[in-house]
Amino acid sequence: MNPTSSSAVDKSSIEDASITRIKLLTYMMFFVFAMTSDAVGVIIPQLIETYNLNLTQASAFHYIPMIFIALSGLFLGYLADKWGRKLTIVIGLMIFSVACFMFSVGESFYYFLFLLALIGIAIGLFKTGALALIGDISSSGKEHTATMNKVEGFFGVGAIVGPAIVSYLLISGVSWKYLYIAAGVICILLCLVAMKTKYPVTKQHAAEKINLKSSFKLMKDPYALGFSLAIALYVATEVAIYVWMPTLLADYTGSLVWLATYALTIFFVLRASGRFLGVWMLKHFSWQKVMFWFSLAVFLCYLGTALMGVEVAVVLLPLSGLFMSVIYPTLNSKGISCFQKSKHGAVAGVILFFTAVSAAISPLLMGIVSDLLGHVSYGFYLATGFAGLLFVAAIYNLKVDPTQHIKN
């Protein structure tokens, strides 16, 4: 046997093992992120009771981490390009785990908000590093999009597991803070794996300057801005479900009360399973067509809710999770893939900024509209407008195909 050939095979096997480990590490990072972020809706009622908060005060538990994720993505996202994916991910995981463990030594509501701000900064770091890393290990646009859908699929599973854990803890008479302690333990393990994993080397052009100024320049790039705005519209449409759908369905008294009770869980399950299904769909259909049909389906679910009220919302809103499933990871993937790999961290940070800002502001706007007009259903009229604009963007993308020069 040729020794050179044997050496090449061994090197290939080692690289394949590293890529597999990197993918599993990325899946688990998104899983843990979702465990904590999507459990907030179950924790907030406990905070209101314990600290005698009003709804506006309690909502800070949702928007504080979102704001700091946005700021971290915008101001620190470029560090994944400057320092490297590995160091950025490790630092992010360490900050996240320390903040989670610190939940066990305090009781003040404002102390918890401080920890959530740290968690937001940490997520901004390791998420931009992870998103950039997906580009490093992907050989094509199709593979990048498929991997992104798998990653978001694990996020969807975490979004189911987190609230379930908190519900079980509360039923058992145990503090919700143990969710964060468990997340901290998982992050320590992920941090150890990350430190021992060999990462691909990202080549930089000699003329490139990787700094905050170059990161801000991306805010003016039409592709970065276009995909960021599309993702912001999607997020505005999605958060309406897990923030305000339970309030809307609280008025439901029809024959499907059981469905109204489990509507949010059904939404999360359909969103998670749909993302794994999306991996298959994107192999057989162009992503432009998938975005068109799925955004149309989401818009029709919202339009039906706006026109026919809670009687159909009990079915249409949870069902929308299946159609939403593919949209976010695909837009995220295509937005990042428009740029060379040495800029993926900065681009991911810009997109994450718009994502988190939309997640913080959109439900607040819906709440304001609902308060002014007297019912939460008016907030869903606004959400229907967001869904309609997202569909218009999908029509433009299908007809004009602005990324046709990029290999997909």
Side-chain angles (χ1 to χ4, degrees), residues 22-42:
I22 286 170
K23 287 183 178 180
L24 291 174
L25 175 65
T26 305
Y27 297 155
M28 289 305 299
M29 282 191 288
F30 276 70
F31 174 86
V32 174
F33 168 31
M35 266 182 63
T36 54
S37 64
D38 284 28
V40 167
V42 187

Side-chain angles (χ1 to χ4, degrees), residues 21-243:
R21 183 182 289 186
I22 286 170
K23 287 183 178 180
L24 291 174
L25 175 65
T26 305
Y27 297 155
M28 289 305 299
M29 282 191 288
F30 276 70
F31 174 86
V32 174
F33 168 31
M35 266 182 63
T36 54
S37 64
D38 284 28
V40 167
V42 187
I43 296 172
I44 282 177
Q46 302 301 314
L47 297 172
I48 292 173
E49 182 179 347
T50 303
Y51 298 101
N52 194 28
L53 306 173
N54 59 37
L55 293 176
T56 302
Q57 292 170 326
S59 66
F61 219 75
H62 168 73
Y63 67 72
I64 286 295
M66 290 298 124
I67 288 172
F68 279 88
I69 289 173
L71 295 175
S72 180
L74 182 62
F75 289 98
L76 303 179
Y78 76 96
L79 294 178
D81 301 323
K82 188 177 182 68
W83 290 352
R85 321 307 194 205
K86 184 173 186 175
L87 181 58
T88 307
I89 288 172
V90 168
I91 291 174
L93 288 174
M94 289 177 65
I95 295 173
F96 188 98
S97 58
V98 169
C100 285
F101 288 133
M102 287 174 67
F103 271 90
S104 64
V105 297
E107 294 294 336
S108 165
F109 177 68
Y110 293 102
Y111 172 74
F112 294 151
L113 293 184
F114 168 72
L115 295 182
L116 289 173
L118 287 181
I119 285 175
I121 293 170
I123 290 171
L125 281 169
F126 75 66
K127 187 173 181 181
T128 51
L131 291 174
L133 193 57
I134 292 172
D136 296 341
I137 62 175
S138 299
S139 58
S140 67
K142 278 186 174 292
E143 183 183 352
H144 190 282
T145 304
T147 302
M148 193 73 79
N149 272 274
K150 288 180 184 177
V151 166
E152 291 295 339
F154 277 85
F155 181 93
V157 174
I160 300 168
V161 172
I165 290 175
V166 173
S167 297
Y168 177 77
L169 290 173
L170 295 176
I171 291 172
S172 304
V174 180
S175 173
W176 54 267
K177 292 192 288 185
Y178 280 94
L179 171 73
Y180 288 91
I181 296 171
V185 172
I186 295 174
C187 271
I188 287 292
L189 297 176
L190 293 179
C191 194
L192 293 174
V193 173
M195 288 189 289
K196 292 183 178 181
T197 300
K198 183 180 180 181
Y199 285 61
V201 177
T202 305
K203 294 181 180 180
Q204 296 175 4
H205 298 285
E208 282 185 327
K209 287 186 177 180
I210 300 175
N211 50 38
L212 185 59
K213 185 177 179 180
S214 63
S215 183
F216 273 109
K217 284 183 179 179
L218 288 172
M219 296 282 283
K220 300 178 182 179
D221 185 277
Y223 290 105
L225 186 60
F227 277 104
S228 294
L229 291 176
I231 287 174
L233 286 172
Y234 165 78
V235 171
T237 305
E238 183 193 62
V239 296
I241 299 292
Y242 63 79
V243 174

Side-chain angles (χ1 to χ4, degrees), residues 99-392:
C100 285
F101 288 133
M102 287 174 67
F103 271 90
S104 64
V105 297
E107 294 294 336
S108 165
F109 177 68
Y110 293 102
Y111 172 74
F112 294 151
L113 293 184
F114 168 72
L115 295 182
L116 289 173
L118 287 181
I119 285 175
I121 293 170
I123 290 171
L125 281 169
F126 75 66
K127 187 173 181 181
T128 51
L131 291 174
L133 193 57
I134 292 172
D136 296 341
I137 62 175
S138 299
S139 58
S140 67
K142 278 186 174 292
E143 183 183 352
H144 190 282
T145 304
T147 302
M148 193 73 79
N149 272 274
K150 288 180 184 177
V151 166
E152 291 295 339
F154 277 85
F155 181 93
V157 174
I160 300 168
V161 172
I165 290 175
V166 173
S167 297
Y168 177 77
L169 290 173
L170 295 176
I171 291 172
S172 304
V174 180
S175 173
W176 54 267
K177 292 192 288 185
Y178 280 94
L179 171 73
Y180 288 91
I181 296 171
V185 172
I186 295 174
C187 271
I188 287 292
L189 297 176
L190 293 179
C191 194
L192 293 174
V193 173
M195 288 189 289
K196 292 183 178 181
T197 300
K198 183 180 180 181
Y199 285 61
V201 177
T202 305
K203 294 181 180 180
Q204 296 175 4
H205 298 285
E208 282 185 327
K209 287 186 177 180
I210 300 175
N211 50 38
L212 185 59
K213 185 177 179 180
S214 63
S215 183
F216 273 109
K217 284 183 179 179
L218 288 172
M219 296 282 283
K220 300 178 182 179
D221 185 277
Y223 290 105
L225 186 60
F227 277 104
S228 294
L229 291 176
I231 287 174
L233 286 172
Y234 165 78
V235 171
T237 305
E238 183 193 62
V239 296
I241 299 292
Y242 63 79
V243 174
W244 294 116
M245 182 178 69
T247 305
L248 178 69
L249 298 185
D251 294 339
Y252 180 77
T253 57
S255 58
L256 297 175
V257 171
W258 66 270
L259 184 57
T261 303
Y262 297 103
L264 191 56
T265 300
I266 293 170
F267 171 82
F268 283 139
V269 169
L270 289 176
R271 189 184 65 173
S273 58
R275 281 173 176 167
F276 291 110
L277 175 65
V279 175
W280 177 85
M281 291 195 64
L282 290 164
K283 286 182 179 179
H284 295 84
F285 304 97
S286 73
W287 73 274
Q288 293 90 343
K289 289 181 179 178
V290 173
M291 291 299 98
F292 172 83
W293 289 110
F294 275 49
S295 61
L296 172 60
V298 171
F299 174 59
L300 292 177
C301 286
Y302 272 89
L303 186 62
T305 296
L307 295 177
M308 291 178 275
V310 70
E311 295 298 324
V312 298
V314 71
V315 174
L316 292 181
L317 291 183
L319 180 62
S320 69
L322 181 63
F323 307 120
M324 289 185 190
S325 59
V326 187
I327 298 175
Y328 176 76
T330 302
L331 289 175
N332 210 359
S333 169
K334 298 306 179 183
I336 294 172
S337 298
C338 287
F339 298 85
Q340 57 200 38
K341 291 182 178 181
S342 60
K343 292 184 178 180
H344 279 193
V347 176
V350 170
I351 292 175
L352 183 58
F353 171 78
F354 281 90
T355 300
V357 167
S358 181
I361 293 178
S362 302
L364 177 61
L365 291 177
M366 287 182 64
I368 292 172
V369 170
S370 299
D371 284 337
L372 287 175
L373 299 178
H375 196 272
V376 70
S377 60
Y378 291 102
F380 275 88
Y381 293 157
L382 179 61
T384 302
F386 293 143
L389 289 174
L390 180 63
F391 177 52
V392 170

